[in-house]
Amino acid sequence: MAFPETRLRRLRATPALRGLVRETRLSASQFVYPMFVEHGLEGDPAHPTGRAPIASMPGVDRLSVDQAVAEAGEVAALGLPGVLLFGLPAEKDADGSGAWDADGIVQRATRAIKAAHPDLLVITDVCLCEYTDHGHCGHLRMGSHPPTVDNDASVALIARTAVSHARAGADLVAPSDMMDGRVGAIRAALDEDGRSDTPIMAYSAKFSSAFYGPFRDAADSAPAFGDRRGYQMDPANGDEAVRETLLDVQEGADIVMVKPALAYLDVIRRVKDATAMPVAAYNVSGEYAMVKAAAAAGHLDERATVLETLTAIRRAGADIVITYHAKDAARWLQN
Ligand code: PBG
């Protein structure tokens, strides 16, 4: 039957009717809040509050461990299930040894947050780029010009980092380096360490994206030379994103991720259909910064824009959305 018997506007007439047939719903339980924890911010006279604002990401600060604990409390009180931790270490070196230091910044923050808020999930980003002095996500093979990131040597360091996070109390580990074989290596290393119950949330289809710009300011992790196109994915490739994800599933990923989110909604849908896995999407720093800048200029309604965006990411197939707007969205959904 077509018009005039069929009239789609019938079910759009009132809020109650629209609610009855709404296909996609948002709840705070679907959002994860990323946080940046910085070594040495406590007791830093330049930052008496233990917080350092990030210019390109209004509302997001780098945090001391104490402030991270306080912020985690706020996150838990809003009904959000968890936080995703990034660390800014005391010192960087060629191999990023701060990443697997038992007393490193993420390990310390994880222990402190879990002690104060045991039910809140602490997910740790597992990568070397915040810890290497060259800003790349792995160990450099120096022979070639420019140097390249040595896959297998990096995988060993990444697995070591994941184990140290789990030992500190991380509930899930989230490798974001895009080395081949790292999910399998992490699974084996965790199992060997008696941690067969620690799940892996794999950044499976992580694209080499301009939308990470603000994050690299926040985490001080821009590559010193070259770019990440030798390991992160080409934004042009959807079939390859499915292959990357299926390999991570084979290697033991428990949750797969597509990143960024907004320019990759088709990839989210394809990954969901191809894997039937729990899918996370990372609504990244540049996506946050765009909305913030447009809202500050009076060009967009921030609340409406963010809720529409989050709905679209969920409609595309994401079960979990990692977003710097998580706390705002949780508040907006309350009233
Ligand atoms: C680390 C990592 C990055 C992001 C998450 N983990 C940066 C990058 O790969 O350059 C980006 C997150 C964001 O932009 O919000 N490898």
Side-chain angles (χ1 to χ4, degrees):
M1 258 190 300
F3 180 82
E5 292 84 0
T6 300
R7 292 175 181 270
L8 294 185
R9 287 187 56 197
R10 272 184 208 123
L11 294 177
R12 292 180 199 150
T14 67
L17 278 168
R18 291 194 292 273
L20 207 58
V21 297
R22 184 158 299 128
E23 299 172 34
T24 308
R25 290 173 201 277
L26 295 180
S27 132
S29 65
Q30 299 150 348
F31 307 140
V32 169
Y33 186 63
M35 300 201 305
F36 301 95
V37 191
E38 179 171 0
H39 178 95
L41 265 189
E42 47 268 287
D44 176 0
H47 300 98
T49 58
R51 291 175 170 257
I54 299 162
S56 51
M57 302 176 69
V60 181
D61 297 331
R62 297 180 180 185
L63 306 167
S64 68
V65 171
D66 288 350
Q67 287 302 310
V69 171
E71 187 116 355
E74 200 188 321
V75 166
L78 284 165
L80 296 162
V83 294
L84 173 62
L85 293 188
F86 295 92
L88 288 95
E91 276 164 33
K92 304 189 185 224
D93 59 26
D95 271 349
S97 64
W100 61 82
D101 179 353
D103 202 32
I105 184 66
V106 163
Q107 289 81 353
R108 283 174 41 220
T110 300
R111 282 193 291 267
I113 293 171
K114 287 307 292 182
H117 310 290
D119 294 334
L120 185 73
L121 296 172
V122 171
I123 311 170
T124 55
D125 183 89
V126 177
C127 195
L128 302 180
C129 63
E130 297 116 72
Y131 304 89
T132 53
D133 51 18
H134 46 76
H136 279 286
C137 299
H139 172 84
L140 293 184
R141 189 189 293 125
M142 299 309 289
S144 53
H145 291 285
T148 53
V149 175
D150 180 329
N151 190 86
D152 299 11
S154 304
V155 164
L157 303 178
I158 293 283
R160 191 168 166 184
T161 301
V163 169
S164 89
H165 289 178
R167 285 182 182 167
D171 296 289
L172 298 97
V173 292
S176 67
D177 53 292
M178 288 303 279
M179 299 302 128
D180 289 322
R182 92 279 205 214
V183 171
I186 291 173
R187 186 69 274 152
L190 288 171
D191 290 357
E192 172 117 342
D193 205 55
R195 300 177 190 282
S196 54
D197 290 337
T198 303
I200 300 172
M201 174 191 270
Y203 287 71
S204 301
K206 176 171 176 181
F207 291 87
S208 180
S209 171
F211 288 99
Y212 307 151
F215 173 95
R216 291 178 188 171
D217 293 340
D220 190 20
S221 66
F225 62 88
D227 53 45
R228 302 207 203 290
R229 282 183 283 190
Y231 39 105
Q232 297 180 349
M233 285 191 55
D234 183 336
N237 295 354
D239 290 343
E240 188 190 347
V242 172
R243 289 181 71 201
E244 270 286 7
T245 311
L246 289 171
L247 285 171
D248 282 3
V249 174
Q250 246 176 44
E251 290 178 30
D254 299 280
I255 299 173
V256 295
M257 195 196 299
V258 176
K259 173 183 174 200
L262 276 185
Y264 299 87
L265 294 178
D266 59 322
V267 176
I268 295 173
R269 170 48 57 196
R270 289 183 64 179
V271 160
K272 184 64 176 176
D273 290 345
T275 65
M277 293 285 290
V279 173
Y282 199 141
N283 181 217
V284 300
S285 58
E287 300 172 7
Y288 176 84
M290 283 195 302
V291 174
K292 280 286 180 189
H299 298 159
L300 280 178
D301 174 336
E302 183 177 8
R303 173 188 165 130
T305 304
V306 169
L307 292 178
E308 180 178 333
T309 297
L310 294 173
T311 302
I313 296 169
R314 296 254 310 122
R315 191 197 62 232
D319 302 285
I320 303 159
V321 187
I322 301 166
T323 174
Y324 302 95
H325 270 117
K327 289 190 299 169
D328 298 316
R331 273 188 215 105
W332 293 328
L333 291 171
Q334 281 169 2
N335 42 58

